[in-house]
Amino acid sequence: MDEERRSVRVAIIGAGFAGLGMAIRLKQEGEHDFVVLERADSVGGTWRDNSYPGCAVDVQSHLYSFSFAPNPDWSHLFSPQQEIWDYQQRLVREHGLESHLRLGHEVLGGEWDADAARWRLQTSAGPVEAAFLVSGMGPLSNPIPPDIPGLESFAGTCFHSARWEHEHPIAGRRVAVIGTGSSAAQFVPAIAPEVERLVLFQRTPGWIIPRFNRRITRLERLLYRRFPAVQRAVRKKQMVQREGMGLVLKSPVRAKLIEAVCRARLKQQVPDPVLREKLTPTYRAGCKRIIVADDWYPALGRPNVDVVTDAITEVVPEGVRTADGTVHAVDTLILGTGFEIMPVADPLRGRDGVPLAERWAGGREAYLGTAVAGYPNYFMLVGPNTGTGHTSVLLYAEAQIEYVLQCLAHVARTGARSIEVREERQRAYSAGLREQLDGTVWLEGGCRSWYLDAGGGSSVLWPGTTFAFTKLLAQLDPADYVLDEAPAREPVAA
Ligand code: NAP
């Protein structure tokens, strides 16, 4: 990076969906003094990293793309990973973001310099400083291996679903898969027909709802291209339908409606009563993230697939040992075991020099999921309590991006140097969230999931509707924030 670009008005962390969206909107608002710091050597975030067979979005593509950058050419209702990644790369080209990208710049740490009113960042490619810092780091970007004894001893090939080893051909292999979340639900059906044998280790069965994917016809695509309002209307309809499902799912009582649909499908797709029993969840639907799949149950019913529900005790060089003493011998071990949740901004030190991770030791909280008291000029996209199990996370990111733009405009308009949310507003907001989360299926549905914090409660999920979130962020209330004016200058002698 050339010297002058080491100091910018806005630094964005991460070139995934959130970071790219922020960059596009900054440009559209006439702000060009920004960089996007990305640790990898290409853009895309989770849609670059997750390239496992069968990877596709499980929210309709019209919703899982930006309203300000619609794509009339999605091939399917739920498009595959490569198409989503292509869309992201096209956004970079079409919005002229190349010169703003700083690839290979992992943010290792950062401090708020109150005197200069700037963030001083250490990156893997040298220091960068910025007046404003926007994190688009993504809540599910770092894969975690399971805490299983002996994992390192495995003699075959072992990889995480988000780090798929494509150079390791899967055809004809004896494969063990650990995990039955949304990722496994996509790659297991994709590889099951190719492998010699697949042993699926299931700790908790998921509730599965149908996806009903289909190709988007040429006529539809033509219509979207010629009449963008039609695509907007379809998007809106999908959004409203998903909100309806979200409302049903949120309540443990109403969730039983979804369960009835899921059970009927399980019965239809899994004739074997023993397997069906294994695959029947014992907690309320929606408690964990619901899985959207048409081909999961048929894949598990294949003669070359075994679903093992005995607990894993250890991994040994030749395979996986379960509590009954059986060693399931395999040559490939695939970990569909999920991600570290919200590793957001751990290295950042705020106004008091306290790392955010330490500030959050008792629980993560951010005002509107976006601003944190003690961390001036710092904004998070897809921060605490912006998660959703029923619709597109991009709807939330977009609302936040617009909100951040309002904050930047407010600072510029008032001539202030920095903006920081009032601690009491953040506290009151978080207390309100906790109240709304009480009694929801996520807390009361009888499961453990990555939605929940170690001490109970959830700093992941938004408890209301998407409309409520968008409305809340639509208008910045200046009273929520403290502005720091620039120190008065000595009069210049004539
Ligand atoms: P996940 O939902 O966290 O699932 C991890 C799985 O691994 C669970 O079945 C878990 O069992 C199991 N597991 C973890 N540690 C284990 C251990 N030590 N022994 C046995 N089993 C273990 O991870 P994911 O499937 O990668 O999905 C993560 C999130 O990514 C999803 O919830 C979703 O938000 C997102 N995603 C989205 C899409 C999309 O299309 N938009 C696709 C894929 C993923 P337990 O359930 O018992 O904990």
Side-chain angles (χ1 to χ4, degrees):
M1 199 193 310
D2 47 333
E3 273 316 304
E4 65 274 18
R5 305 303 291 167
R6 291 204 170 273
S7 175
V8 288
R9 183 154 186 265
V10 186
I12 299 167
I13 308 177
F17 258 121
L20 293 177
M22 187 76 238
I24 294 168
R25 290 294 294 119
L26 279 173
K27 271 208 114 158
Q28 289 177 337
E29 294 301 306
E31 174 61 80
H32 300 280
D33 188 12
F34 69 90
V35 290
V36 184
L37 306 169
E38 166 58 51
R39 63 182 171 181
D41 58 6
S42 59
V43 304
T46 193
W47 292 102
R48 173 203 58 227
D49 292 342
N50 284 274
S51 63
Y52 55 75
C55 185
V57 64
D58 63 9
V59 170
Q60 289 96 331
S61 294
H62 290 317
L63 271 184
Y64 205 87
S65 41
F66 290 123
S67 65
F68 50 78
N71 174 20
D73 296 320
W74 292 119
S75 68
H76 287 77
L77 283 186
F78 302 86
S79 294
Q81 173 260 347
Q82 182 66 50
E83 215 174 301
I84 300 163
W85 195 23
D86 289 346
Y87 166 75
Q88 293 175 313
Q89 294 177 78
R90 205 162 58 241
L91 291 179
V92 171
R93 290 192 300 276
E94 288 177 357
H95 295 271
L97 300 182
E98 291 97 335
S99 61
H100 298 272
L101 289 178
R102 299 294 177 264
L103 303 175
H105 281 61
E106 180 169 13
V107 176
L108 305 171
E111 296 84 37
W112 172 249
D113 178 341
D115 294 332
R118 291 182 87 72
W119 280 100
R120 300 199 185 283
L121 305 172
Q122 298 87 49
T123 82
S124 53
V128 174
E129 58 164 79
F132 298 93
L133 184 58
V134 184
S135 167
M137 284 163 83
L140 298 170
S141 43
N142 295 338
I144 33 170
D147 187 14
I148 299 175
L151 192 58
E152 299 305 317
S153 72
F154 183 60
T157 302
C158 174
F159 52 86
H160 190 277
S161 58
R163 299 288 182 270
W164 197 272
E165 291 192 11
H166 291 281
E167 62 282 6
H168 176 73
I170 209 80
R173 301 275 180 183
R174 288 171 300 132
V175 177
V177 172
I178 303 180
T180 54
S182 303
S183 299
Q186 294 186 334
F187 71 76
V188 166
I191 64 170
E194 286 184 48
V195 300
E196 181 193 314
R197 179 161 175 255
L198 191 151
V199 188
L200 176 69
F201 293 93
Q202 173 189 273
R203 196 163 61 179
T204 318
W207 285 102
I208 316 288
I209 55 169
R211 184 161 70 155
F212 296 132
N213 199 11
R214 68 163 176 85
R215 284 197 79 82
I216 296 179
T217 64
R218 273 178 51 194
L219 182 65
E220 284 171 297
R221 283 184 267 150
L222 185 71
L223 207 61
Y224 298 149
R225 225 171 293 131
R226 289 268 174 84
F227 308 103
V230 176
Q231 190 178 6
R232 284 199 296 275
V234 171
R235 187 178 196 272
K236 193 81 182 178
K237 188 190 91 185
Q238 292 171 342
M239 183 181 170
V240 171
Q241 283 171 341
R242 288 197 161 264
E243 285 312 300
M245 189 175 85
L247 284 175
V248 172
L249 272 179
K250 206 168 55 172
S251 138
V253 178
R254 290 192 299 260
K256 290 183 181 172
L257 286 172
I258 303 266
E259 289 171 20
V261 175
C262 296
R263 279 215 179 83
R265 193 170 166 80
L266 176 62
K267 197 166 177 192
Q268 180 201 9
Q269 292 194 325
V270 183
D272 172 2
V274 177
L275 179 59
R276 197 158 65 222
E277 180 68 25
K278 283 183 183 176
L279 298 176
T280 304
T282 53
Y283 56 89
R284 291 271 81 89
C287 182
K288 282 173 179 292
R289 192 176 191 274
I290 210 149
I291 292 170
V292 191
D294 296 323
D295 45 6
W296 174 243
Y297 289 144
L300 304 192
R302 292 178 60 88
N304 67 334
V305 175
D306 287 325
V307 179
V308 174
T309 52
D310 295 305
I312 297 171
T313 49
E314 63 174 332
V315 173
V316 292
E318 57 277 17
V320 179
R321 191 192 305 276
T322 44
D324 60 352
T326 308
V327 172
H328 303 265
V330 291
D331 56 50
T332 305
L333 176 54
I334 307 177
L335 309 173
T337 46
F339 300 85
E340 184 188 350
I341 306 307
M342 217 178 283
V344 191
D346 285 8
L348 295 182
R349 291 171 185 274
R351 190 162 37 79
D352 303 327
V354 180
L356 190 48
E358 200 176 309
R359 175 68 62 99
W360 278 354
R364 307 176 197 108
E365 59 173 47
Y367 184 61
L368 306 179
T370 313
V372 187
Y375 298 78
N377 287 10
Y378 173 59
F379 304 101
M380 270 181 285
L381 304 174
V382 198
N385 295 104
T386 60
T388 150
H390 68 280
T391 191
S392 169
V393 67
L394 296 192
L395 298 170
Y396 289 73
E398 270 201 37
Q400 292 185 285
I401 288 167
E402 297 306 316
Y403 185 80
V404 172
L405 290 173
Q406 288 188 58
C407 291
L408 299 190
H410 182 57
V411 173
R413 202 169 39 243
T414 54
R417 298 191 312 165
S418 69
I419 182 167
E420 181 185 336
V421 67
R422 292 179 191 277
E423 180 110 40
E424 66 273 19
R425 295 288 165 115
Q426 184 179 311
R427 290 248 169 85
Y429 173 76
S430 300
L433 285 178
R434 280 194 293 275
E435 238 169 67
Q436 286 187 67
L437 281 161
D438 263 355
T440 57
V441 72
W442 309 304
L443 271 61
E444 306 291 336
C447 76
R448 276 276 341 145
S449 77
W450 62 263
Y451 287 165
L452 301 183
D453 302 340
S458 175
S459 59
V460 171
L461 292 163
W462 167 250
T465 63
T466 306
F467 300 112
F469 186 79
T470 310
K471 191 168 170 217
L472 205 56
L473 275 75
Q475 189 61 53
L476 169 76
D477 182 353
D480 291 342
Y481 289 89
V482 182
L483 295 179
D484 175 24
E485 313 290 334
R489 288 207 179 154
E490 291 295 319
V492 180

